[in-house]
């Protein structure tokens, strides 16, 4: 059986992106899903001086091992000021010091959601442009606007948006 990881680029305990990532991962048939939480990976703010003095933290290695041992990645990025959250960027920076191609060519369903109408479009664009340089294999993508209006009780309630996500999940599944 294939093994996928699902996580949000957020450390919010009530992350709307984590809710979306879990929902999407559970739409993938015949896979084992591991839901990762960035709160479980304690990392100091990246800096070259810190790396030179103390090395790369074990939690960065542990997260990278989760990526490398998976068959695919479901990631929903939270957006802060039009970019990655600090916690995600920090994890990304630490992992890239271990392995430049940190995404390891694993098929990825890349998503974002937000309370607003753009659905995290800015952070999605940044990731779509950046991740391929780091071994990202983005095979499917999805943006959910107006999270509060379109997601309830653990699922997307807007029929058209849900159909679009299912279409993207099927593309992702075929790439596994």
């Amino acid at each position: 059986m294939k093994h996928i990881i699902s996580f949000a680029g957020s450390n919010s305990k009530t992350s709307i992106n984590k809710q979306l990532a879990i929902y999407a991962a559970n739409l993938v048939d015949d896979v084992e899903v591991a839901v990762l939480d960035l709160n479980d990976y304690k990392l100091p703010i990246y800096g070259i001086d810190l790396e030179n003095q103390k090395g790369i933290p074990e939690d960065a290695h542990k997260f990278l091992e989760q990526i490398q041992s998976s068959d695919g990645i479901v990631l929903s990025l939270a957006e802060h000021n039009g970019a990655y959250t600090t916690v995600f960027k920090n994890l990304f920076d630490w992992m890239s010091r271990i392995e430049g191609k940190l995404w390891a060519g694993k098929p990825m369903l890349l998503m974002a959601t937000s309370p607003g109408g753009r659905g995290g479009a800015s952070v999605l664009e940044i990731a779509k442009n950046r991740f391929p340089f780091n071994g990202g294999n983005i095979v499917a993508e999805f943006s959910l606007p107006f999270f509060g209006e379109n997601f309830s009780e653990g699922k997307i309630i807007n029929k058209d948006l849900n159909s679009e996500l299912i279409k993207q999940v099927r593309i992702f599944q075929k790439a596994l």
Side-chain angles (χ1 to χ4, degrees):
M1 180 174 285
K2 301 280 185 174
H3 167 75
I4 64 172
I5 59 172
S6 174
F7 66 101
S10 171
N11 60 351
S12 169
K13 292 183 187 332
T14 59
S15 170
I16 61 177
N17 279 280
K18 186 174 183 181
Q19 292 175 61
L20 177 60
I22 290 169
Y23 175 63
N26 286 322
L27 293 173
V28 182
D29 295 328
D30 302 319
V31 295
E32 177 184 289
V33 178
V35 177
L36 307 180
D37 187 325
L38 298 189
N39 290 301
D40 295 334
Y41 300 85
K42 304 295 183 201
L43 297 169
I45 298 295
Y46 177 78
I48 191 66
D49 293 337
L50 180 61
E51 180 185 348
N52 289 337
Q53 291 169 357
K54 298 194 175 192
I56 297 171
E58 187 60 31
D59 277 350
H61 288 279
K62 287 179 182 176
F63 202 95
L64 185 60
E65 287 169 12
Q66 290 285 340
I67 292 170
Q68 292 174 336
S69 67
S70 76
D71 295 302
I73 303 163
V74 175
L75 169 57
S76 189
L77 292 169
E79 183 177 279
H80 287 184
N81 296 315
Y84 307 125
T85 62
T86 302
V87 69
F88 176 78
K89 179 67 166 75
N90 192 50
L91 172 64
F92 183 82
D93 288 345
W94 277 114
M95 289 191 304
S96 73
R97 299 298 292 171
I98 303 166
E99 172 57 58
K101 303 287 185 188
L102 62 103
W103 299 118
K106 307 292 179 166
M108 181 184 292
L109 169 55
L110 181 64
M111 304 181 296
T113 188
S114 72
R118 297 196 65 231
S122 295
V123 74
L124 275 178
E125 198 60 33
I126 292 168
K128 287 183 337 190
N129 289 326
R130 177 73 245 157
F131 287 4
F133 291 102
N134 297 94
N137 179 17
I138 303 164
V139 298
E141 65 181 84
F142 179 74
S143 170
L144 180 64
F146 301 114
F147 181 86
E149 297 170 28
N150 291 314
F151 196 95
S152 181
E153 298 180 12
K155 63 184 178 185
I156 296 175
I157 56 176
N158 177 297
K159 183 180 175 184
D160 292 336
L161 290 169
N162 197 55
S163 292
E164 178 58 29
L165 175 59
I166 290 170
K167 176 181 165 189
Q168 296 302 311
V169 166
R170 295 299 164 245
I171 293 167
F172 171 71
Q173 185 160 358
K174 287 179 185 174
L176 293 174

